[in-house]
Amino acid sequence: AAAKRKRGGSAARPEKRAKRAPSAAEPRPDGAVPEEYSVPPPVSQGKWKNKERVLIFSSRGINFRTRHLMQDLRTLMPHSKADTKMDRKDQLFVINEVCEMKNCNKCIFFEAKKKQDLYMWLSNTPQGPSAKFLVQNIHTLAELKMTGNCLRGSRPLLSFDPTFDKEPHYALLKELFIQIFSTPQYHPKSQPFVDHVFTFTVTDERIWFRNYQIIEEDASLVEIGPRFVLNLIKVFQGSFGGPTLYENPYYQSPNMHRRLIRLSLAAKFREKQQVKEVQQIKKKGSKVLIEGDPTEVVFETPAEEKPVAIQLVKPESKPIVKDKKKLRKIQRKKQKKLFRTEA
């Protein structure tokens, strides 16, 4: 058998023919009608030209809610990438090199301080501009538990408040939001559907982020989360630094806010202590005697004078008897004695 293989046993074998599906023109031997096979077209009909990639990561020291919010943003943005947490001792300009290694031109960086304050950086790397926000009132997808089930990887609509077109710093932030949060067309990981809306509303000098799902054809919306509020601090010309283009005059740092709360509580406590001290001083002070009113005697009526009765005979002492029967016997004996003397 080995000799036959060496002599060219493989050449003696007939070549295999490729199988092909029976065409419509060729009828089957059993007389059945052949089925037509068609390959479905690819999901992405065009070419991915706008190659925006967003790096979403954070510093060390974040809590569980921030970690869940970061994961929710990665889920909603198929054009995002992840990276390990950055050490707090590192400078922020190192993020530009990390974005370059990850081949990303946008960045969302969460910076935690004092294990209770959360800051968000939105940057266009490496040239800029960049903006720093204080993140407040965070609610994640798992925490909200709202109705809704939008398609994973679908492209969102971005809805902006009219205030973004009135002031220059809001116009800059609007362009930054558009480039970061909008999913590029024909992205490999995206789906060619639009079934949810990202809204950015300016209220109380803050930017409110909400995510709504389009559930009906008449554009009725239902909130599905996540949700958070961005309090703008500064807008920089460069990426994670550089000259300051805008500084929010209404911004109050969390440290100052907590300090004012402590001062207000201390002021209330001091006020209570002062009230107690004043009350004690009033109690210790000498009481001023009020002179009698002479008109009070007008309505007084003198009582009738009773005649004074002088008792000449010493009253007999009554025996203290606990038993009532003995007391009755003693009284009867006294009555008998009085009767005998009278007789």
Side-chain angles (χ1 to χ4, degrees), residues 1-11:
K4 288 182 180 179
R5 289 195 206 102
K6 290 180 181 179
R7 290 174 187 172
S10 60

Side-chain angles (χ1 to χ4, degrees), residues 69-340:
L69 174 64
M70 190 168 55
Q71 189 62 36
D72 293 342
L73 290 178
R74 290 172 183 168
T75 305
L76 293 173
M77 300 164 63
H79 60 293
S80 64
K81 289 188 176 183
D83 195 19
T84 57
K85 295 180 181 178
M86 195 180 74
D87 196 357
R88 287 181 290 183
K89 295 181 181 179
D90 295 340
Q91 299 296 327
L92 291 178
F93 62 84
V94 181
I95 301 175
N96 296 324
E97 300 177 3
V98 178
C99 292
E100 186 178 357
M101 288 188 293
K102 287 284 184 178
N103 196 16
C104 297
N105 51 3
K106 300 291 185 296
C107 181
I108 299 178
F109 177 67
F110 292 95
E111 185 180 9
K113 291 186 178 179
K114 294 188 176 181
K115 296 184 179 180
Q116 54 184 345
D117 302 330
L118 179 65
Y119 297 92
M120 178 192 285
W121 285 85
L122 299 180
S123 176
N124 180 20
T125 58
Q127 289 85 13
S130 60
K132 184 180 182 181
F133 301 91
L134 174 67
V135 188
Q136 299 172 331
N137 300 334
I138 300 173
H139 297 281
T140 59
L141 278 170
E143 184 180 358
L144 287 175
K145 295 182 180 178
M146 294 183 174
T147 57
N149 185 19
C150 65
L151 186 65
R152 183 187 178 97
S154 59
R155 300 181 64 212
L157 292 174
L158 299 185
S159 173
F160 290 93
D161 194 86
T163 314
F164 281 92
D165 298 327
K166 296 179 181 178
E167 299 185 18
H169 62 281
Y170 280 133
L172 178 63
L173 292 177
K174 178 181 178 180
E175 185 63 28
L176 197 61
F177 287 146
I178 290 173
Q179 295 182 14
I180 290 178
F181 287 96
S182 62
T183 303
Q185 193 176 13
Y186 306 126
H187 191 276
K189 293 183 180 179
S190 66
Q191 299 290 339
F193 304 102
V194 177
D195 59 354
H196 63 286
V197 183
F198 290 163
T199 61
F200 298 89
T201 311
V202 179
T203 306
D204 194 19
E205 304 299 332
R206 292 171 174 83
I207 301 173
W208 299 59
F209 176 87
R210 296 290 184 270
N211 181 21
Y212 297 95
Q213 181 190 351
I214 306 171
I215 57 174
E216 298 292 341
E217 293 182 358
D218 57 350
S220 58
L221 303 176
V222 60
E223 187 177 356
I224 58 176
R227 57 159 68 171
F228 53 88
V229 179
L230 299 176
N231 190 359
L232 178 63
I233 302 174
K234 285 183 181 182
V235 179
F236 300 96
Q237 183 177 355
S239 178
F240 296 98
T244 303
L245 299 179
Y246 175 78
E247 185 175 358
N248 187 9
Y250 304 100
Y251 171 71
Q252 187 182 65
S253 65
N255 293 332
M256 181 60 68
H257 181 67
R258 288 190 287 266
R259 180 174 178 272
L260 293 176
I261 292 175
R262 288 196 300 269
L263 289 176
S264 63
L265 294 175
K268 288 182 181 179
F269 180 75
R270 284 197 300 269
E271 186 178 355
K272 288 182 180 179
Q273 291 296 111
Q274 290 174 359
V275 170
K276 288 182 180 180
E277 290 176 1
V278 171
Q279 290 176 354
Q280 289 178 359
I281 291 171
K282 286 182 179 179
K283 289 180 181 179
K284 291 181 180 178
S286 60
K287 296 181 179 180
V288 180
L289 297 176
I290 301 174
E291 297 179 357
D293 190 2
T295 59
E296 291 180 354
V297 193
V298 177
F299 300 100
E300 291 183 358
T301 54
E304 295 180 359
E305 294 183 357
K306 295 181 180 180
V308 181
I310 300 172
Q311 191 175 2
L312 301 176
V313 183
K314 181 180 178 182
E316 295 181 357
S317 59
K318 295 180 180 180
I320 300 171
V321 181
K322 294 182 179 180
D323 193 358
K324 292 182 179 180
K325 293 182 179 180
K326 290 183 179 180
L327 181 62
R328 289 174 185 173
K329 289 180 181 180
I330 293 170
Q331 288 177 355
R332 286 173 186 171
K333 286 180 181 180
K334 286 183 179 180
Q335 288 177 358
K336 288 179 180 179
K337 284 182 181 180
L338 289 172
F339 182 74
R340 289 173 183 173

Side-chain angles (χ1 to χ4, degrees), residues 8-24:
S10 60
R13 292 179 183 178
E15 295 182 358
K16 293 184 179 180
R17 294 182 180 180
K19 293 182 180 180
R20 59 186 181 89
S23 60

